[in-house]
């Protein structure tokens, strides 16, 4: 009803500007660009070495080369130090430990990620893989199912889960996942699709 009362007058250096909900102009009527200060500060923070995201990106730049694994580890640890809830940093750190043969270290990082975000797809899937390697198929099937809960079209988790269920002698349930996998695999001639079909061709008994 009184739009002028909704305007705010403020000083910016030697200039006077008028700010409303959707306008930002000089008293002369010259429209100004309204840069959001908070967004600018966030961008500056992202580029700053004091940012968890900065160190996470740094880690990703380094973790593809075995020669820089140690530096990548330090970068991810710094990212976690600055933001203990950075689940991707825990997961990527676990991946490096796994590649270095430190399975226990990898598990610790994946479980930390899952404790923060119980639906972190990669951490759940990677934990399932480690449980499979340790012949702990019951635990592995749990993690694969959780990964599928997070992403129902996660084909790799579906395939690995079907294999776990086969080894657990839960063949009827396994058949459901083999069938589902074939729906997810767009290449019906792939090696994985052939394996799924072979399992479906086997009789349930015997």
């Amino acid at each position: 009803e009184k739009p002028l009362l909704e305007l705010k007058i403020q000083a910016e250096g030697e200039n006077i500007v008028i700010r409303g909900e959707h306008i930002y102009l000089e008293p002369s009527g010259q429209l100004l660009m309204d840069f959001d200060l908070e967004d600018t500060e966030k961008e500056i923070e992202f580029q700053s070495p004091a940012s968890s995201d900065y160190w996470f990106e740094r880690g990703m730049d380094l973790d593809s080369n075995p020669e820089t694994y140690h530096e990548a580890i330090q970068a991810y640890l710094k990212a976690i130090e600055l933001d203990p809830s950075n689940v991707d940093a825990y997961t990527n750190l676990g991946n490096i430990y796994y590649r270095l043969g430190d399975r226990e270290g990898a598990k610790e990082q994946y479980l930390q990620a899952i404790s923060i975000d119980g639906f972190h797809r990669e951490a759940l899937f990677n934990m399932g893989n480690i449980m499979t390697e340790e012949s702990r198929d019951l635990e592995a099937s749990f993690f694969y199912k959780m990964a599928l809960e997070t992403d129902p079209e996660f084909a790799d988790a579906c395939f690995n889960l079907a294999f776990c269920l086969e080894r657990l002698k839960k063949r009827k349930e396994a058949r459901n996942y083999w069938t589902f996998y074939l729906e997810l695999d767009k290449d019906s001639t792939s090696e994985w699709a052939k394996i799924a079909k072979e399992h479906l061709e086997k009789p349930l008994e015997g």
Side-chain angles (χ1 to χ4, degrees):
E1 296 179 355
K2 298 180 180 180
L4 289 178
L5 294 179
E6 298 176 7
L7 300 178
K8 294 180 180 180
I9 298 175
Q10 65 187 61
E12 291 195 0
E14 297 179 354
N15 300 318
I16 299 296
V17 297
I18 300 171
R19 183 187 295 273
E21 183 177 1
H22 299 294
I23 61 171
Y24 185 59
L25 43 79
E26 294 178 341
S28 65
Q30 177 65 44
L31 187 66
L32 303 174
M33 296 297 291
D34 186 9
F35 293 104
D36 191 319
L37 181 60
E38 290 185 3
D39 288 344
T40 303
E41 289 175 345
K42 288 177 183 177
E43 181 65 23
I44 292 172
E45 179 187 0
F46 179 78
Q47 298 296 338
S48 168
S51 163
S52 177
D53 288 332
Y54 170 89
W55 289 104
F56 176 74
E57 295 288 341
R58 176 71 175 154
M60 288 202 300
D61 289 339
L62 295 165
D63 70 8
S64 60
N65 185 350
E67 294 183 0
T68 55
Y69 278 172
H70 179 72
E71 294 173 52
I73 289 172
Q74 296 307 310
Y76 286 133
L77 288 173
K78 185 65 176 178
I80 291 167
E81 176 187 337
L82 293 168
D83 180 7
S85 66
N86 192 331
V87 291
D88 291 330
Y90 286 110
T91 303
N92 288 10
L93 184 57
N95 292 343
I96 297 178
Y97 287 150
Y98 179 82
R99 293 178 209 145
L100 290 172
D102 183 0
R103 186 177 292 170
E104 291 303 314
K107 284 195 289 188
E108 181 180 348
Q109 299 306 317
Y110 296 146
L111 289 174
Q112 184 63 41
I114 294 167
S115 72
I116 296 169
D117 179 2
F119 293 94
H120 193 278
R121 195 185 89 144
E122 283 72 25
L124 290 164
F125 179 70
N126 292 345
M127 270 301 297
N129 290 340
I130 289 181
M131 294 295 99
T132 296
E133 291 177 5
E134 295 181 352
S135 299
R136 297 166 62 181
D137 289 314
L138 187 61
E139 293 97 323
S141 65
F142 168 79
F143 286 111
Y144 290 139
K145 285 180 179 179
M146 287 296 295
L148 280 170
E149 283 285 326
T150 302
D151 180 2
E153 296 186 355
F154 194 172
D156 288 346
C158 185
F159 185 93
N160 289 6
L161 174 57
F163 250 129
C164 280
L165 294 171
E166 289 279 356
R167 289 191 293 268
L168 290 168
K169 308 300 182 183
K170 298 181 178 181
R171 300 201 56 205
K172 186 174 181 180
E173 187 179 359
R175 286 177 69 89
N176 293 333
Y177 286 102
W178 289 127
T179 302
F180 184 37
Y181 175 79
L182 290 175
E183 295 174 6
L184 295 174
D185 190 344
K186 306 304 180 184
D187 181 5
S188 60
T189 62
S190 72
E191 188 65 30
W192 313 117
K194 290 178 182 177
I195 292 173
K197 291 174 183 177
E198 288 173 1
H199 281 278
L200 286 171
E201 290 170 359
K202 296 179 181 179
L204 277 175
E205 300 299 329

